Amino acid sequence: MNKEQFLEKCKEQQSYGDFFYAVYDDFLPYQEYGALREYMQSNMGWKLSSKINVHDVSNDDFYMTGMVFTNLETARHQWNQQINIELFTNISRKLYIQSLIRIKANLYVGGKENVIHAPHIDMDFFNTGALFFVSDCDAPTYLADGTGIESKANRLLIFNSATPHSSSAPTNVPYRMTVNFNYFGAGVIPEYMRDRSQSDTKN
């Protein structure tokens, strides 16, 4: 769908909580980011999902997923032991998380057109979403007000993921990779931002 259709579909969906977002560029230290990207490109063990989301029913779009953590499982099975968890907790430990709901890696296949997928909400209750962009591409994430957050490597988007939003398909690269965190809590831990700022100043 195009942007106008996306905005119309957003009006049909219920939101939980207020709309907000914040963007942090160059979020991870270089070594942590590089290790995560390399792992997701070569060792992730992706699984096929036949639809982008439950509302995306008018096309044949599909994507690949990798579940890292889900609180729907019993305690001993919540973390996927087949995955290198530390690479993902390098992100989550920098977030102000009171209770973790889910960590899911996503790989969207590219095409000839910048198709915007159907808008959706992650859960039908207020929660904070943190979307980490692993790679550069021309496929933004679109938020409920029409804002397109450019897919930029090592960028973190904090937003209310219980408001309509959508992924899109890239045209300038074969795929688009992201990591999605859902949790109860707030944004980035202030101490991390302060320490990062001081480190940047020293350099």
Side-chain angles (χ1 to χ4, degrees):
M1 65 178 60
N2 58 37
K3 190 171 181 180
E4 290 72 24
Q5 293 170 324
F6 165 80
L7 290 171
E8 285 300 313
K9 289 293 184 181
C10 284
K11 297 176 183 178
E12 300 174 5
Q13 296 191 20
Q14 182 175 352
S15 294
Y16 299 86
D18 296 329
F19 174 84
F20 66 85
Y21 73 92
V23 176
Y24 301 87
D25 285 335
D26 300 318
F27 183 72
L28 287 178
Y30 177 76
Q31 289 183 330
E32 292 181 5
Y33 164 70
L36 175 62
R37 179 170 182 162
E38 174 64 24
Y39 180 79
M40 290 181 63
Q41 288 176 330
S42 58
N43 298 309
M44 188 66 203
W46 298 101
K47 294 183 178 180
L48 176 66
S49 181
S50 59
K51 290 294 179 184
I52 302 296
N53 63 68
V54 295
H55 302 289
D56 207 53
V57 296
S58 61
N59 54 57
D60 296 323
D61 291 341
F62 67 94
Y63 76 132
M64 311 293 284
T65 66
M67 190 65 71
V68 180
F69 173 91
T70 174
N71 67 357
L72 296 178
E73 298 287 348
T74 57
R76 65 180 297 179
H77 296 112
Q78 289 180 337
W79 290 95
N80 185 346
Q81 298 301 317
Q82 305 302 313
I83 286 177
N84 186 342
I85 295 169
E86 183 179 358
L87 298 177
F88 298 90
T89 57
N90 282 337
I91 300 172
S92 61
R93 61 189 173 86
K94 297 173 176 61
L95 306 175
Y96 187 78
I97 297 176
Q98 295 173 315
S99 180
L100 185 59
I101 302 171
R102 182 179 68 173
I103 304 174
K104 182 168 72 78
N106 308 300
L107 186 152
Y108 300 90
V109 178
K112 295 181 179 179
E113 298 181 22
N114 272 123
V115 176
I116 303 175
H117 304 132
H120 67 284
I121 60 173
D122 287 0
M123 281 95 183
D124 58 356
F125 51 83
F126 172 75
N127 67 98
T128 301
L131 185 65
F132 184 78
F133 297 92
V134 181
S135 53
D136 291 315
C137 68
D138 62 352
T141 288
Y142 289 93
L143 304 180
D145 67 344
T147 299
I149 306 299
E150 181 184 353
S151 294
K152 183 178 179 182
N154 204 10
R155 166 175 282 178
L156 184 77
L157 166 66
I158 299 286
F159 69 113
N160 177 1
S161 58
T163 57
H165 58 281
S166 186
S167 56
S168 62
T171 65
N172 64 337
V173 294
Y175 53 81
R176 170 190 193 256
M177 291 193 301
T178 60
V179 185
N180 184 37
F181 299 78
N182 297 100
Y183 60 98
F184 297 111
V188 178
I189 295 174
E191 290 79 5
Y192 175 65
M193 297 306 299
R194 184 180 63 245
D195 292 345
R196 190 182 73 161
S197 176
Q198 291 175 347
S199 175
D200 290 344
T201 301
K202 292 177 182 178
N203 293 333

